[in-house]
Amino acid sequence: MQRHINSAVLALGLLCSGLAAADEHAPVAAPKISVGDSWTYQLTDLWKNEPGDLNRTEVTAVNDSDILADIKHAATGALVAQTRFTREMNPFDLGKTHLDQAFVRYAFPLEVGKEWKSTASGDNAAAGKRWRYQFEGKVVGWEKVKVPAGEFDALKIAVVGYFQGEQVSRRGGSGQLNETVWYAPAVNNYVKLEYNDTNLQGHPHNRHLWELTDYARK
């Protein structure tokens, strides 16, 4: 009788362990963002291997369709830019380029193997340039990621973007951008992001890294 009881206890333990593992890797739902949430990132220029800006993204408004945020210098609080996201934290801006449709960095619910595609047009009014984009994303897998803010369980996401320049007086050229994003449900955002792109002639151009140094959830 004791042996049967022990076997039943062991089986229950294995079942609970299996459920916990399944829960850990269950599809990840879209984040619930609140006014006052913030994320501070250290930028590194990977070509020079030098630290760049340390900026904080602070949520200022959340409505039915989008999220508004201020980007500030972490040290001084000086406003760098104002930006907009979808409710899934997909940005409408890529650097100084504004998109007519959000850049689909995330397609919730997120689970390993999920893939998606999207398109957008973008313009940089200051530079007088306009592009057409085609984006492809995929969830690669779960990884433990260590950054200055701590160690996190994160979903690794790979996104590639193909862009075509639209110039009035000459051929615009084309290029490609790549993002590898580590999204951590614990912080409702990415904890690490590696980015590289080419110029319109297809030559390597920017190589950047962002790592989370601090965050706040309201």
Side-chain angles (χ1 to χ4, degrees), residues 19-67:
L19 288 174
D23 287 343
E24 180 182 356
H25 298 295
V28 175
K32 295 181 179 179
I33 305 297
S34 301
V35 173
D37 288 354
S38 68
W39 305 269
T40 303
Y41 294 100
Q42 175 65 63
L43 168 65
T44 300
D45 184 326
L46 293 178
W47 283 124
K48 300 176 181 178
N49 196 28
E50 293 178 354
D53 292 336
L54 179 66
N55 289 338
R56 181 172 61 252
T57 300
E58 298 179 354
V59 176
T60 58
V62 178
N63 55 48
D64 292 339
S65 60
D66 53 25
I67 294 168

Side-chain angles (χ1 to χ4, degrees), residues 6-217:
N6 288 341
S7 296
V9 170
L10 176 60
L12 180 60
L14 291 173
L15 176 61
C16 291
S17 176
L19 288 174
D23 287 343
E24 180 182 356
H25 298 295
V28 175
K32 295 181 179 179
I33 305 297
S34 301
V35 173
D37 288 354
S38 68
W39 305 269
T40 303
Y41 294 100
Q42 175 65 63
L43 168 65
T44 300
D45 184 326
L46 293 178
W47 283 124
K48 300 176 181 178
N49 196 28
E50 293 178 354
D53 292 336
L54 179 66
N55 289 338
R56 181 172 61 252
T57 300
E58 298 179 354
V59 176
T60 58
V62 178
N63 55 48
D64 292 339
S65 60
D66 53 25
I67 294 168
L68 303 179
D70 288 343
I71 300 177
K72 299 179 178 180
H73 283 298
T76 65
L79 182 66
V80 176
Q82 294 178 311
T83 191
R84 176 176 163 233
F85 302 88
T86 67
R87 290 297 300 267
E88 295 188 334
M89 289 301 290
N90 289 317
F92 283 92
D93 297 295
L94 285 176
K96 296 181 179 180
T97 299
H98 179 73
L99 304 177
D100 63 343
Q101 302 291 327
F103 166 39
V104 184
R105 179 177 285 154
Y106 312 118
F108 292 96
L110 297 173
E111 55 187 324
V112 176
K114 184 172 183 178
E115 299 182 10
W116 59 91
K117 295 182 179 181
S118 64
T119 61
S121 293
D123 68 272
N124 183 331
K129 295 181 179 180
R130 185 172 177 83
W131 296 269
R132 294 192 307 272
Y133 293 90
Q134 292 182 324
F135 299 111
E136 299 176 2
K138 181 177 181 178
V139 180
V140 178
W142 285 92
E143 292 187 358
K144 281 195 176 294
V145 181
K146 191 171 184 179
V147 293
E151 187 174 67
F152 300 90
D153 290 321
L155 273 170
K156 183 179 180 179
I157 300 167
V159 184
V160 59
Y162 306 97
F163 54 90
Q164 177 75 37
E166 296 180 344
Q167 305 293 331
V168 175
S169 59
R170 57 187 174 85
R171 185 177 178 182
S174 61
Q176 179 177 325
L177 65 85
N178 297 275
E179 279 194 356
T180 304
V181 185
W182 286 265
Y183 177 87
V187 307
N188 284 342
N189 212 331
Y190 67 85
V191 294
K192 182 179 177 181
L193 189 156
E194 293 182 356
Y195 173 92
N196 67 76
D197 62 18
T198 70
N199 60 22
L200 293 177
Q201 289 71 48
H203 301 137
H205 190 43
N206 296 298
R207 290 186 64 219
H208 293 148
L209 167 68
W210 285 266
E211 293 180 293
L212 186 72
T213 65
D214 195 16
Y215 69 99
R217 293 180 58 178

